[in-house]
Amino acid sequence: MTARTTPAPALRRAPAAGAAPLVALLVALTASLAAALVAVAPGAQAAGYRYWSFWKWSGSAWAYQQVGPAGFVPADGAVDGWRFAVSPDGGQDAARPTATGEFAAICADTPPAASHKRVAVVLDFGTAADAPGGEQPPAPRTACAAVPAAASSADVLAAVAPPLRYDSAGVLCAIAGYPRAGCADTVAAPAAPAAGGTPADDGPSLGLVAGGALVAALAVGAAWQARRRR
């Protein structure tokens, strides 16, 4: 009687050492890259604020006023500047008044008085692009306030550009009635233009997209190789 032999079962090759960690690493890299792509996707713009910024004329340029108008007492011959625009929060990067602050020119028709000081005011209502929906910014203008010596910049502004509107926290919301509503509203800041005046691209860069495709391809290839070796 012939003995029957049972064929030996086929041996399964163990996955190559290091294949699983490599796949895990590449998958993690792909996930990280995907998160980066989402972060630079169109519409992911920094927040800006639509508000009146406060400036003082310093020699030959505008300097951001570090003290609020109610707490600052300008001297005789000072120049206060105001600009309404969508600007980042942080002061120094806010949009400045476009006109210069020449005291002698602004207050030329306001004679000095012994009991009062003169303070020039520059009002820049900004552009239509920065205006709240449905509103048109008034034309820029200047004024010369003749006020008591102890008057603050808030008093100066009230003398030349009423009505003023403040919120419950004392934030100045409107000058000369502009804007009609809203107060330091958060809006999407416009993308900064690239060199040469071309608007910056809001989407992912070509290099980042190409890198993402390469990492994804490597991850798929490594996984396929690991499955072949089993």
Side-chain angles (χ1 to χ4, degrees):
M1 183 175 181
T2 304
R4 297 180 62 183
T5 58
T6 303
L11 296 177
R12 295 177 60 87
R13 183 176 297 176
L22 176 60
V23 173
L25 175 61
L26 291 174
V27 170
L29 288 174
T30 304
S32 298
L33 186 66
L37 289 171
V38 170
V40 298
Q45 298 173 322
Y49 301 87
R50 183 185 287 117
Y51 67 100
W52 281 101
S53 56
F54 182 29
W55 303 82
K56 60 182 177 182
W57 185 252
S58 180
S60 59
W62 291 109
Y64 188 75
Q65 182 59 271
Q66 302 291 340
V67 181
F72 182 74
V73 178
D76 180 67
V79 183
D80 287 350
W82 294 91
R83 172 68 189 271
F84 187 79
V86 174
S87 301
D89 191 19
Q92 296 293 343
D93 295 328
R96 290 167 168 76
T98 53
T100 58
E102 300 297 336
F103 174 82
I106 297 172
C107 288
D109 297 330
T110 304
S115 58
H116 284 68
K117 64 183 177 183
R118 294 179 300 166
V119 178
V121 180
V122 174
L123 299 176
D124 189 332
F125 295 85
T127 66
D130 288 335
E135 296 199 49
Q136 183 65 30
R141 67 176 190 254
T142 61
C144 186
V147 292
S152 67
S153 287
D155 298 325
V156 169
L157 193 58
V160 298
L164 307 180
R165 178 168 56 84
Y166 293 87
D167 69 3
S168 59
V171 175
L172 179 62
C173 305
I175 295 176
Y178 182 81
R180 294 190 299 269
C183 192
D185 298 325
T186 304
V187 296
T198 302
D201 184 6
D202 289 335
S205 68
L206 179 60
L208 189 58
V209 173
L214 177 61
V215 171
L218 288 174
V220 171
W224 181 76
Q225 288 289 346
R227 291 179 62 184
R228 280 191 59 197
R229 291 171 183 158
R230 291 179 183 176

